């Protein structure tokens, strides 16, 4: 017993030493794994602010992979390394994202799990409400770091399992994440860098095999051609770059359309960006609740968040000047005392909206319950939260605002007068496309007052010549609110609220009417429920909207609604019928009226048209996905070509054993190709004895079959057999010996070598001794 135990320890020590020797150089594989993770991970930069998250995530991945390598390099079994990587992942996760919840900082408790789950839940909420690029708050940092660390653990396990190709799936998942979050074209540079890092990993993993015995290493290298691997990899990258460019419908937008049709959950759900982000928000898949409000008004309200007033550079944007901000709401600019008005009270509860601006009805006069530190712009009424809490979620506040009912006579009396103080709100870029001014002057020809011109402009956009679409600006490459985009919009006559609002506001300035663009939420006509007798409205993310506000002397700023197709009830004063009542001294109470039939609500649209459009979209999406399936199938079939060619060649030469005058030589050449496929060294200068001895050096190779086949080859090549035809019995023995030897080689090979021999046979990529 004692002797037995005494022998076990030296054997264990020798095994550890052997494993340490075999792990020399494995640090290069671990480094390649980190590079293959880090390169595609950097693709999240456009959707996450800063770079600290990348360094934190890679630190987590490095800790996990480094722990595994240290265990393997110490001579312990590789499986222990994977376990060590997982333990490090758990420990680092609880130390940084659930501190103080583990027993002695090591053993996780239910509190640890609860804290981590709470972090994930909050991360999901952040994903729903933040805009792009997202602020990497603590919960998002936890999600990114823990996900990256877990990917590193799985990648390390793939290396230990001798299946490094699986890491390509992980790299592809990381690479695809930005496109899944935000419809965008593939970053070609990052794609090539990701592909290069993956090929480097495969190359290093093939050279440094910590599980290959030293005495077999020289043989195993023969079939692993770096040039071949790199050539195949480069060909795959080239195909991936070329195929989309020559395949109709295979575009980022096609995938986005398919995702929208499937109603997949939205990723960035309720945030708001005052310009281009609004279009991205409107194209979001699943609307979520931004806020709820109750009001004493008899109809739903526009809720404004920010005004775009500066158009001097050719792009509508907010005025960045913070001078003149006050900590109270003031009377609206330009409103005369004789304009009829009423006061309504609105109670707002913010849910999913994460913004630095508070949504308010305009003009708001008092604000209660919004906390401290907010400031208001006296000219626009925009309320901004302080930097210390620029997240509106969870805010509940009450606001009093005015409902203005100017008469047609009062609006007409504004004439064309504009105060010099409003000249900045008439500014236009020097390079404004001529189509904008030409159309404005044509539409307003014959109108004598600013009010008549404003009504004419709105009527032009709602006359049926224009269509509402959030996709056309993307497809036609004019998405945005700059001057060039407006010119393209007026040509195409299809866009969404940003284009309608920006075009009308710009054309108003051309006609001498001060204008600005409001961004917020349009009124929802559906009451979700009643609270204390007051209607409560639920405002969703797809109600994000922009509209022009125009200024009239004596009345002040009034909203107009040029966007068709949304079913919005427009103010009565903006309709031509109301403008035709200038002689009335007292205007009737302006009830909101539905716009012309060309601007009917989505739910009242022509069912046949909707069906046709739906079928067109479905067919386009089906075509796109069929193309994807065809491309994937083509790639898979292309990947099977080497294996198919090898099978065909093998069958051909097995058949030649029954027909050739030199069956043993044919079998020997087939055996050499088979050996090449499994990484065994085969030299063109090998004699049958040399190659036969190399086979006999392997374990479990049937020596009798090798000797029998070798002697048959030598007799055919060196003996005079002109008058000794080969009999059927001898041919059968040759075939049996060949198959026996090949089965032994296959049985002795590792799983990865079998897979490589089957799918990428090396014998196809080296010169053979076979006669042509």
């Amino acid at each position: 017993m004692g002797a037995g135990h005494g022998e076990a320890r030296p054997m264990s020590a020798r095994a550890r030493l052997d494993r340490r020797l075999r792990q020399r150089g494995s640090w290069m594989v671990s480094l390649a794994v980190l590079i293959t993770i880090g390169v595609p991970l950097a693709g999240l930069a456009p959707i996450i602010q800063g770079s600290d998250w990348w360094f934190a995530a890679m630190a987590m991945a490095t800790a996990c992979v480094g722990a595994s390598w240290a265990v393997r390099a110490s001579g312990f079994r590789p499986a222990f390394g994977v376990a060590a990587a997982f333990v490090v992942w758990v420990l680092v996760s609880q130390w940084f994202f659930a501190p103080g919840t583990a027993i002695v900082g090591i053993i996780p408790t239910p509190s640890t799990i609860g804290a981590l789950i709470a972090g994930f839940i909050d991360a999901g909420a952040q994903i729903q409400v933040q805009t792009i690029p997202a602020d990497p708050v603590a919960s998002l940092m936890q999600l990114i770091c823990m996900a990256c660390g877990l990917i590193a653990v799985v990648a390390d396990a793939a290396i230990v399992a001798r299946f490094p190709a699986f890491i390509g799936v992980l790299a592809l998942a990381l690479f695809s994440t930005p496109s899944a979050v935000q419809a965008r074209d593939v970053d070609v540079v990052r794609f090539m860098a990701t592909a290069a890092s993956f090929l480097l990993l495969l190359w290093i993993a093939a050279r440094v095999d910590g599980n290959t015995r030293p005495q077999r290493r020289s043989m195993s290298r023969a079939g692993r051609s770096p040039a071949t691997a790199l050539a195949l990899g480069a060909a795959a990258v080239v195909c991936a770059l070329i195929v989309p460019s020559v395949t109709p419908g295979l575009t980022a937008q096609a995938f986005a359309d398919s995702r929208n049709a499937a109603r997949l959950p939205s990723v960035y759900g309720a945030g708001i960006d005052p310009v281009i982000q609004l279009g991205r928000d409107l194209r979001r898949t699943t609307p979520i609740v931004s806020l709820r409000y109750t009001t004493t008004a008899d109809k739903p309200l526009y809720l404004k968040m920010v005004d775009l007033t500066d158009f001097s550079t050719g792009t509508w944007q907010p005025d960045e000047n913070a001078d003149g901000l006050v900590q109270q709401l003031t009377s609206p600019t330009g409103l005369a005392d004789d304009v009829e008005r009423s006061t309504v009270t609105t109670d707002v509860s913010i849910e999913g909206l994460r913004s630095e601006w508070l949504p308010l009805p305009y003009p708001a006069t008092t604000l209660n319950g919004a906390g401290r530190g907010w400031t208001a712009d006296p000219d626009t009424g925009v309320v901004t939260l302080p930097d210390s809490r620029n997240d509106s979620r969870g805010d509940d506040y009450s606001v009093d605002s005015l409902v203005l009912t100017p008469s047609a006579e009062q609006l007409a009396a504004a004439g064309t007068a504009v105060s010099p103080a409003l000249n900045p709100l008439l500014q236009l870029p020097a390079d404004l496309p001529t189509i904008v001014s030409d159309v404005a002057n044509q539409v307003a020809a014959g109108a004598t007052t600013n009010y008549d011109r404003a009504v004419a402009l709105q009527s032009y956009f709602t006359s049926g010549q224009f269509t509402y679409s959030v996709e056309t600006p993307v497809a036609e490459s004019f998405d945005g609110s700059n001057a060039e985009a407006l010119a393209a919009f007026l040509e195409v006559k299809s866009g969404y609220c940003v284009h309608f609002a920006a075009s009308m506001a710009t054309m108003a300035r051309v006609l001498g009417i001060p204008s600005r663009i409001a961004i917020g939420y349009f009124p929802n006509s559906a009451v979700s429920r009643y609270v204390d007798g007051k209607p409560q409205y639920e405002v969703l993310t797809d109600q994000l909207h922009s509209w022009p506000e125009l200024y009239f002397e004596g009345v002040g700023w009034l909203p107009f609604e040029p966007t068709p197709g949304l079913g919005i009830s427009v103010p009565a004063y903006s309709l031509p019928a109301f403008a035709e009542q200038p002689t009335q001294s007292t205007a009737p109470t302006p009830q909101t009226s539905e716009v012309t039939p060309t601007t009917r609500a989505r739910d009242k649209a022509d069912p046949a048209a909707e069906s046709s459009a739906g079928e067109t979209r479905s067919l386009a999406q089906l075509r796109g996905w069929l193309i994807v399936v065809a491309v994937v199938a083509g790639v898979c079939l292309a990947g099977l070509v080497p294996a198919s060619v090898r099978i065909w060649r093998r069958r051909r030469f097995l058949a030649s054993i029954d027909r050739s005058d030199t069956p043993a030589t044919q079998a020997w050449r087939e055996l050499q190709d088979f050996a090449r496929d499994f990484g065994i060294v085969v030299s063109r200068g090998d004699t049958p004895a040399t190659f036969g001895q190399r086979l006999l050096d392997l374990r479990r190779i049937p020596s009798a079959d090798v000797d029998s086949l070798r002697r048959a080859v030598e007799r055919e090549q060196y003996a005079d057999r002109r008058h000794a035809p080969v009999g059927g019995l001898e041919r059968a023995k040759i075939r049996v010996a060949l198959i026996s030897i090949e089965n032994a080689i296959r049985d002795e090979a590792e799983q990865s070598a079998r897979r490589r021999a089957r799918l990428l046979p090396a014998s196809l990529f080296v010169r053979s001794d076979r006669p042509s």
Side-chain angles (χ1 to χ4, degrees), residues 335-346:
L335 179 61
D337 294 337
D338 59 346
V339 176
E340 186 176 346
R341 73 202 70 184
S342 60
T343 301
V344 298
T345 301
T346 304

Side-chain angles (χ1 to χ4, degrees), residues 638-714:
L640 295 176
V641 168
S644 301
V645 173
R646 179 68 182 93
I647 291 173
W648 174 78
R649 287 182 58 175
R650 173 175 165 75
R651 289 179 177 176
R652 185 164 67 92
F653 282 96
L654 285 177
S656 70
I657 294 176
D658 297 328
R659 300 191 304 267
S660 174
D661 293 336
T662 57
T665 300
Q666 299 300 321
W668 194 254
R669 287 168 176 164
E670 167 57 30
L671 178 59
Q672 288 180 316
D673 276 0
F674 192 88
R676 286 188 178 97
D677 294 341
F678 280 84
I680 299 173
V681 173
V682 179
S683 173
R684 291 177 58 85
D686 283 344
T687 63
T690 303
F691 180 63
Q693 185 57 49
R694 189 174 297 121
L695 293 177
L696 292 174
D697 289 339
L698 301 175
R699 297 183 304 168
R700 297 194 297 271
I701 296 297
S703 58
D705 290 330
V706 173
D707 290 338
S708 173
L709 186 57
R710 176 184 56 78
R711 286 194 297 268
V713 173
E714 291 174 342

Side-chain angles (χ1 to χ4, degrees), residues 243-324:
V243 168
S245 64
V246 300
T247 306
L250 191 59
T251 63
Q253 189 59 40
F255 287 109
D257 291 342
S258 297
R259 289 199 302 270
N260 291 345
R263 304 298 292 172
L264 294 179
S266 173
V267 179
Y268 285 86
I272 180 171
D273 185 301
V275 190
I276 191 69
Q277 179 70 37
L278 187 145
R280 191 154 48 224
D281 290 337
L282 292 177
R283 285 186 288 270
R284 196 170 284 135
T285 56
T286 304
I288 66 172
V289 177
S290 290
L291 58 93
R292 292 182 173 89
Y293 70 91
T294 60
T295 180
T296 59
D298 58 359
K299 56 183 178 294
L301 304 170
Y302 281 92
L303 299 178
K304 182 169 70 171
M305 301 179 66
V306 65
D307 277 317
L308 311 182
T309 58
D310 184 2
F311 193 52
S312 59
T313 61
T315 299
W316 284 96
Q317 54 192 348
D319 188 352
E320 299 295 337
N321 186 9
D323 296 339

Side-chain angles (χ1 to χ4, degrees), residues 141-216:
M141 189 76 81
Q142 172 191 331
L143 177 64
I144 296 170
C145 291
M146 291 187 66
C148 187
L150 189 58
I151 288 173
V153 173
V154 174
D156 186 75
I159 292 295
V160 171
R162 301 183 293 282
F163 191 25
F166 178 73
I167 300 176
V169 177
L170 304 177
L172 179 62
L174 285 173
F175 178 84
S176 304
T177 298
S179 296
V181 171
Q182 182 184 17
R184 55 191 297 125
D185 293 330
V186 173
D187 186 337
V188 176
V189 174
R190 186 168 58 89
F191 173 77
M192 296 181 66
T194 302
S197 64
F198 177 57
L199 292 176
L200 176 66
L201 170 64
L202 294 181
W203 189 86
I204 294 177
R207 312 262 73 73
V208 182
D209 189 352
N211 295 280
T212 301
R213 289 176 173 80
Q215 61 267 27
R216 295 175 56 194

Side-chain angles (χ1 to χ4, degrees), residues 4 58-59 67 112 118 132 178 273 294 326 418 469 495 612 652 696 762 764:
M58 289 308 299
T112 305
I132 299 174
D273 185 301
T294 60
V326 295
V418 176
S469 172
S612 175
R652 185 164 67 92
L696 292 174
L764 299 182

